[in-house]
Amino acid sequence: MASSESESLLDRAFAEATERADDHDETTERLLTAAYDQFRRTGIRKSTMEDVARRAGVSRVTVYRRFANKDALVEHVVRREFRRYFDQFLIDIERAENVADRVTIGFASALRAIRGNPLIGGLMDVEPDVVIPSMVGDGGQTMATVRKFVAGQLRREQSAGNVASGVDVDLVAELMVRLSASFLVTPSLLVDLDDEHQVRDVARRFLVPMLFPPG
């Protein structure tokens, strides 16, 4: 997956989530769903465009009319999964009553969404050399897009007076995203990521204080 193209796709996924946009027609959605199922069951490397066409019940020509090649199809499937992550993140934090709760819930939501995603989380287990480099080896573009998303949430909190005015929200978002990425790519022997209460406690103890620096 080309890094510039990855950045574009992630940026669009971010924009679609925040704007609640959706420009896919029925056939494209059908193909993306079929590809998602195919990649989840067989893996990306072993899957072909013909496999996706067969699973979708369409001709191979139909697939190629919408996606020039397998790389393009993979990128759009991943984009849709990130869109789902952004969507769920926004839904989860809407339930919180204050900024501290939104940070702790958001941190737990992010880890749960990626690890629990049948495609991305599954591929991190069976094809880590495909997924992990796209997260951390693309010149920082994937993390930069997620950081922009998190920073936007923090900036709104700051404008509402919920975060100290002197806080550098871009830097705080960077630290939050890097911590999340570290947990995702390197399993912890101290923090059980399947324990929601433990994950939220980490966020409450170490992430929330960054929004309220002493003095």
Side-chain angles (χ1 to χ4, degrees):
M1 187 182 300
S3 59
S4 60
E5 203 46 34
S6 300
E7 179 183 25
S8 175
L9 288 168
L10 265 179
D11 281 340
R12 287 204 295 273
F14 164 62
E16 288 172 358
T18 54
E19 297 170 6
R20 300 294 198 266
D22 192 352
D23 59 359
H24 291 158
D25 59 42
E26 182 178 346
T27 300
T28 299
E29 280 297 324
R30 183 176 176 182
L31 290 172
L32 291 175
T33 297
Y36 169 88
D37 290 338
Q38 179 66 34
F39 297 156
R40 181 171 58 86
R41 294 170 183 270
T42 309
I44 291 176
R45 281 203 184 94
K46 295 181 180 179
S47 297
T48 66
M49 297 288 268
E50 289 77 8
D51 291 332
V52 173
R54 185 164 48 250
R55 188 173 292 276
V58 300
S59 68
R60 188 178 65 169
V61 172
T62 298
V63 181
Y64 279 103
R65 281 175 179 166
R66 285 168 169 77
F67 306 101
N69 50 47
K70 180 179 168 183
D71 283 345
L73 177 58
V74 170
E75 288 166 354
H76 279 78
V77 171
V78 172
R79 168 189 165 188
R80 190 174 72 158
E81 295 311 296
F82 270 101
R83 160 74 189 275
R84 288 176 174 173
Y85 153 66
F86 289 134
D87 281 342
Q88 188 60 51
F89 182 97
L90 293 173
I91 290 170
D92 288 345
I93 64 174
E94 283 177 358
R95 305 168 186 169
E97 296 182 356
N98 54 60
V99 64
D101 286 346
R102 282 187 282 277
V103 168
T104 57
I105 291 173
F107 179 67
S109 171
L111 294 181
R112 186 190 330 112
I114 300 300
R115 294 181 72 248
N117 184 285
L119 177 64
I120 298 176
L123 289 177
M124 287 180 69
D125 290 332
V126 300
E127 292 183 359
D129 54 329
V130 173
V131 179
I132 291 177
S134 71
M135 294 175 61
V136 299
D138 60 353
Q141 291 175 352
T142 295
M143 286 198 289
T145 300
V146 179
R147 175 195 56 73
K148 182 170 68 173
F149 175 74
V150 175
Q153 303 303 311
L154 295 179
R155 193 165 285 109
R156 278 187 278 277
E157 298 282 4
Q158 194 172 51
S159 297
N162 300 326
V163 172
S165 60
V167 169
D168 184 339
V169 295
D170 289 302
L171 179 57
V172 169
E174 174 93 359
L175 294 174
M176 289 180 173
V177 171
R178 286 187 176 276
L179 180 61
S180 299
S182 177
F183 275 123
L184 287 170
V185 302
T186 308
S188 172
L189 298 179
L190 294 178
V191 180
D192 181 359
L193 299 185
D194 293 321
D195 186 332
E196 183 89 0
H197 295 292
Q198 193 174 154
V199 172
R200 290 191 185 191
D201 184 59
V202 168
R204 190 173 294 106
R205 292 170 59 193
F206 300 104
L207 300 187
V208 172
M210 290 192 291
L211 304 179
F212 306 99

